[in-house]
Amino acid sequence: MSQHLEELREIVAEVLELEPEEVTDTADFVQDYEADSLRAIEILARIEKQYGLDIPQVELAEMRTLKAVHDIVARYAGWRD
Amino acid sequence: MLFAVARDVRIDGAAHPGDVLTHRARLDRVGPAGAVFVTGETWVGQRRLVRFGSLMAVTRPGAAGAPSEEESA
């Protein structure tokens, strides 16, 4: 299992105030966890800080699942997970 | 400006009527969508009352926080 994916799961879980095991790869943050735009911004900000990235705000709309977050972050970070 | 989130808040003491609270804020970073992340403390004199591990604030258009006609009636 990708270490990066698990790190992102920890970040998302902390922001959404869930246990990491409750955050599945494909659950929709809004529909399944009732996340709002502020939580999305916070998730993105934490990811940027942790990995030293600058991800365009336009990507926020696509970052609706853990898998989507991982795929987008991987693209900007150059991960080969 | 909208105060959005406070995390890792530790309360060390209480304030009382008449106390002058001093808030010391350090801008940690400016994040996506102009969100600002601040750390800081609140003091009364030499007594620290609160420590904030992280505060997040965002700006929203003025109309977003204005009461509706029903609310203001």
mmCIF file of all heavy atoms in Angstrom, chain B residues 24-48:
data_model
loop_
_atom_site.group_PDB
_atom_site.id
_atom_site.type_symbol
_atom_site.label_atom_id
_atom_site.label_comp_id
_atom_site.label_asym_id
_atom_site.label_seq_id
_atom_site.Cartn_x
_atom_site.Cartn_y
_atom_site.Cartn_z
ATOM 1 N N ARG B 24 -1.696 37.463 20.590
ATOM 2 C CA ARG B 24 -0.463 37.489 19.804
ATOM 3 C C ARG B 24 -0.589 36.446 18.714
ATOM 4 O O ARG B 24 -0.717 35.257 19.001
ATOM 5 C CB ARG B 24 0.741 37.182 20.700
ATOM 6 C CG ARG B 24 0.942 38.205 21.809
ATOM 7 C CD ARG B 24 2.055 37.806 22.751
ATOM 8 N NE ARG B 24 2.155 38.756 23.845
ATOM 9 C CZ ARG B 24 2.859 38.545 24.961
ATOM 10 N NH1 ARG B 24 3.529 37.407 25.101
ATOM 11 N NH2 ARG B 24 2.897 39.448 25.906
ATOM 12 N N ALA B 25 -0.570 36.907 17.494
ATOM 13 C CA ALA B 25 -0.781 36.016 16.357
ATOM 14 C C ALA B 25 0.429 36.040 15.452
ATOM 15 O O ALA B 25 0.969 37.096 15.147
ATOM 16 C CB ALA B 25 -2.024 36.441 15.592
ATOM 17 N N ARG B 26 0.804 34.862 15.004
ATOM 18 C CA ARG B 26 1.903 34.731 14.045
ATOM 19 C C ARG B 26 1.335 34.138 12.765
ATOM 20 O O ARG B 26 0.728 33.076 12.779
ATOM 21 C CB ARG B 26 2.996 33.811 14.598
ATOM 22 C CG ARG B 26 3.779 34.370 15.749
ATOM 23 C CD ARG B 26 4.732 33.319 16.317
ATOM 24 N NE ARG B 26 4.020 32.243 16.973
ATOM 25 C CZ ARG B 26 3.593 32.314 18.244
ATOM 26 N NH1 ARG B 26 3.804 33.388 18.965
ATOM 27 N NH2 ARG B 26 2.947 31.284 18.772
ATOM 28 N N LEU B 27 1.555 34.854 11.681
ATOM 29 C CA LEU B 27 1.084 34.349 10.393
ATOM 30 C C LEU B 27 1.968 33.190 9.974
ATOM 31 O O LEU B 27 3.157 33.362 9.715
ATOM 32 C CB LEU B 27 1.119 35.464 9.345
ATOM 33 C CG LEU B 27 0.657 35.073 7.947
ATOM 34 C CD1 LEU B 27 -0.805 34.633 7.970
ATOM 35 C CD2 LEU B 27 0.840 36.246 6.986
ATOM 36 N N ASP B 28 1.349 32.011 9.917
ATOM 37 C CA ASP B 28 2.116 30.814 9.578
ATOM 38 C C ASP B 28 2.283 30.720 8.072
ATOM 39 O O ASP B 28 3.375 30.529 7.567
ATOM 40 C CB ASP B 28 1.388 29.581 10.137
ATOM 41 C CG ASP B 28 2.195 28.313 9.931
ATOM 42 O OD1 ASP B 28 3.438 28.397 9.894
ATOM 43 O OD2 ASP B 28 1.598 27.226 9.815
ATOM 44 N N ARG B 29 1.167 30.832 7.373
ATOM 45 C CA ARG B 29 1.239 30.777 5.916
ATOM 46 C C ARG B 29 -0.071 31.257 5.322
ATOM 47 O O ARG B 29 -1.103 31.296 6.002
ATOM 48 C CB ARG B 29 1.537 29.357 5.429
ATOM 49 C CG ARG B 29 0.468 28.333 5.703
ATOM 50 C CD ARG B 29 1.000 26.931 5.475
ATOM 51 N NE ARG B 29 1.580 26.766 4.166
ATOM 52 C CZ ARG B 29 0.915 26.302 3.108
ATOM 53 N NH1 ARG B 29 -0.339 25.949 3.226
ATOM 54 N NH2 ARG B 29 1.516 26.190 1.945
ATOM 55 N N VAL B 30 0.014 31.611 4.063
ATOM 56 C CA VAL B 30 -1.185 31.927 3.298
ATOM 57 C C VAL B 30 -1.422 30.740 2.385
ATOM 58 O O VAL B 30 -0.529 30.354 1.620
ATOM 59 C CB VAL B 30 -1.035 33.219 2.481
ATOM 60 C CG1 VAL B 30 -2.308 33.477 1.673
ATOM 61 C CG2 VAL B 30 -0.759 34.396 3.402
ATOM 62 N N GLY B 31 -2.595 30.149 2.486
ATOM 63 C CA GLY B 31 -2.869 28.927 1.764
ATOM 64 C C GLY B 31 -3.775 29.138 0.575
ATOM 65 O O GLY B 31 -3.934 30.261 0.092
ATOM 66 N N PRO B 32 -4.365 28.048 0.094
ATOM 67 C CA PRO B 32 -5.240 28.142 -1.067
ATOM 68 C C PRO B 32 -6.452 29.019 -0.796
ATOM 69 O O PRO B 32 -6.904 29.143 0.355
ATOM 70 C CB PRO B 32 -5.655 26.677 -1.310
ATOM 71 C CG PRO B 32 -5.411 25.997 -0.018
ATOM 72 C CD PRO B 32 -4.260 26.700 0.628
ATOM 73 N N ALA B 33 -6.942 29.612 -1.854
ATOM 74 C CA ALA B 33 -8.130 30.468 -1.772
ATOM 75 C C ALA B 33 -7.931 31.611 -0.790
ATOM 76 O O ALA B 33 -8.893 32.121 -0.216
ATOM 77 C CB ALA B 33 -9.361 29.638 -1.379
ATOM 78 N N GLY B 34 -6.688 32.017 -0.574
ATOM 79 C CA GLY B 34 -6.416 33.142 0.315
ATOM 80 C C GLY B 34 -6.608 32.841 1.787
ATOM 81 O O GLY B 34 -6.623 33.752 2.610
ATOM 82 N N ALA B 35 -6.761 31.589 2.123
ATOM 83 C CA ALA B 35 -6.919 31.239 3.534
ATOM 84 C C ALA B 35 -5.620 31.522 4.286
ATOM 85 O O ALA B 35 -4.544 31.287 3.766
ATOM 86 C CB ALA B 35 -7.283 29.763 3.676
ATOM 87 N N VAL B 36 -5.741 32.071 5.474
ATOM 88 C CA VAL B 36 -4.555 32.345 6.274
ATOM 89 C C VAL B 36 -4.540 31.407 7.471
ATOM 90 O O VAL B 36 -5.578 31.111 8.056
ATOM 91 C CB VAL B 36 -4.492 33.815 6.738
ATOM 92 C CG1 VAL B 36 -4.323 34.734 5.554
ATOM 93 C CG2 VAL B 36 -5.718 34.199 7.524
ATOM 94 N N PHE B 37 -3.347 30.973 7.804
ATOM 95 C CA PHE B 37 -3.162 30.069 8.925
ATOM 96 C C PHE B 37 -2.271 30.760 9.947
ATOM 97 O O PHE B 37 -1.185 31.238 9.618
ATOM 98 C CB PHE B 37 -2.546 28.754 8.458
ATOM 99 C CG PHE B 37 -3.457 27.992 7.550
ATOM 100 C CD1 PHE B 37 -3.505 28.254 6.197
ATOM 101 C CD2 PHE B 37 -4.309 27.026 8.069
ATOM 102 C CE1 PHE B 37 -4.373 27.575 5.364
ATOM 103 C CE2 PHE B 37 -5.172 26.333 7.249
ATOM 104 C CZ PHE B 37 -5.209 26.602 5.893
ATOM 105 N N VAL B 38 -2.781 30.826 11.149
ATOM 106 C CA VAL B 38 -2.154 31.616 12.205
ATOM 107 C C VAL B 38 -1.960 30.741 13.437
ATOM 108 O O VAL B 38 -2.793 29.880 13.731
ATOM 109 C CB VAL B 38 -3.066 32.814 12.554
ATOM 110 C CG1 VAL B 38 -2.512 33.604 13.717
ATOM 111 C CG2 VAL B 38 -3.263 33.707 11.346
ATOM 112 N N THR B 39 -0.874 30.961 14.123
ATOM 113 C CA THR B 39 -0.708 30.361 15.444
ATOM 114 C C THR B 39 -0.618 31.509 16.436
ATOM 115 O O THR B 39 -0.318 32.647 16.060
ATOM 116 C CB THR B 39 0.568 29.515 15.534
ATOM 117 O OG1 THR B 39 1.700 30.345 15.220
ATOM 118 C CG2 THR B 39 0.526 28.352 14.565
ATOM 119 N N GLY B 40 -0.894 31.216 17.675
ATOM 120 C CA GLY B 40 -0.799 32.318 18.625
ATOM 121 C C GLY B 40 -1.271 31.985 20.004
ATOM 122 O O GLY B 40 -1.511 30.824 20.344
ATOM 123 N N GLU B 41 -1.354 33.042 20.783
ATOM 124 C CA GLU B 41 -1.708 32.901 22.194
ATOM 125 C C GLU B 41 -2.530 34.116 22.624
ATOM 126 O O GLU B 41 -2.464 35.167 22.000
ATOM 127 C CB GLU B 41 -0.429 32.843 23.043
ATOM 128 C CG GLU B 41 0.483 31.686 22.693
ATOM 129 C CD GLU B 41 1.947 32.030 22.862
ATOM 130 O OE1 GLU B 41 2.289 33.200 23.091
ATOM 131 O OE2 GLU B 41 2.774 31.097 22.759
ATOM 132 N N THR B 42 -3.253 33.913 23.694
ATOM 133 C CA THR B 42 -3.979 35.004 24.330
ATOM 134 C C THR B 42 -3.482 35.144 25.750
ATOM 135 O O THR B 42 -3.381 34.148 26.474
ATOM 136 C CB THR B 42 -5.492 34.735 24.325
ATOM 137 O OG1 THR B 42 -5.949 34.690 22.976
ATOM 138 C CG2 THR B 42 -6.239 35.821 25.072
ATOM 139 N N TRP B 43 -3.182 36.378 26.118
ATOM 140 C CA TRP B 43 -2.603 36.649 27.433
ATOM 141 C C TRP B 43 -3.432 37.686 28.176
ATOM 142 O O TRP B 43 -4.079 38.539 27.583
ATOM 143 C CB TRP B 43 -1.180 37.204 27.277
ATOM 144 C CG TRP B 43 -0.192 36.233 26.706
ATOM 145 C CD1 TRP B 43 -0.100 35.815 25.414
ATOM 146 C CD2 TRP B 43 0.844 35.567 27.411
ATOM 147 N NE1 TRP B 43 0.939 34.925 25.265
ATOM 148 C CE2 TRP B 43 1.540 34.757 26.476
ATOM 149 C CE3 TRP B 43 1.283 35.566 28.740
ATOM 150 C CZ2 TRP B 43 2.631 33.964 26.837
ATOM 151 C CZ3 TRP B 43 2.354 34.778 29.093
ATOM 152 C CH2 TRP B 43 3.019 33.981 28.140
ATOM 153 N N VAL B 44 -3.385 37.598 29.480
ATOM 154 C CA VAL B 44 -3.826 38.682 30.356
ATOM 155 C C VAL B 44 -2.629 39.000 31.231
ATOM 156 O O VAL B 44 -2.243 38.201 32.077
ATOM 157 C CB VAL B 44 -5.033 38.271 31.225
ATOM 158 C CG1 VAL B 44 -5.318 39.367 32.269
ATOM 159 C CG2 VAL B 44 -6.257 38.024 30.365
ATOM 160 N N GLY B 45 -2.024 40.127 30.956
ATOM 161 C CA GLY B 45 -0.800 40.463 31.675
ATOM 162 C C GLY B 45 0.266 39.425 31.419
ATOM 163 O O GLY B 45 0.604 39.133 30.274
ATOM 164 N N GLN B 46 0.770 38.830 32.469
ATOM 165 C CA GLN B 46 1.799 37.802 32.349
ATOM 166 C C GLN B 46 1.225 36.397 32.334
ATOM 167 O O GLN B 46 1.980 35.409 32.332
ATOM 168 C CB GLN B 46 2.805 37.938 33.500
ATOM 169 C CG GLN B 46 3.541 39.276 33.524
ATOM 170 C CD GLN B 46 4.323 39.494 32.256
ATOM 171 O OE1 GLN B 46 5.118 38.647 31.837
ATOM 172 N NE2 GLN B 46 4.133 40.651 31.622
ATOM 173 N N ARG B 47 -0.098 36.314 32.354
ATOM 174 C CA ARG B 47 -0.741 35.002 32.363
ATOM 175 C C ARG B 47 -1.183 34.623 30.957
ATOM 176 O O ARG B 47 -1.948 35.344 30.331
ATOM 177 C CB ARG B 47 -1.983 34.993 33.269
ATOM 178 C CG ARG B 47 -1.697 35.061 34.743
ATOM 179 C CD ARG B 47 -2.969 34.827 35.549
ATOM 180 N NE ARG B 47 -4.033 35.751 35.213
ATOM 181 C CZ ARG B 47 -5.240 35.392 34.771
ATOM 182 N NH1 ARG B 47 -5.515 34.120 34.568
ATOM 183 N NH2 ARG B 47 -6.172 36.307 34.521
ATOM 184 N N ARG B 48 -0.693 33.474 30.477
ATOM 185 C CA ARG B 48 -1.170 32.993 29.192
ATOM 186 C C ARG B 48 -2.462 32.217 29.421
ATOM 187 O O ARG B 48 -2.517 31.308 30.251
ATOM 188 C CB ARG B 48 -0.129 32.092 28.530
ATOM 189 C CG ARG B 48 -0.571 31.588 27.155
ATOM 190 C CD ARG B 48 0.506 30.744 26.512
ATOM 191 N NE ARG B 48 0.866 29.633 27.354
ATOM 192 C CZ ARG B 48 2.055 29.039 27.335
ATOM 193 N NH1 ARG B 48 3.002 29.450 26.513
ATOM 194 N NH2 ARG B 48 2.301 28.018 28.142
#
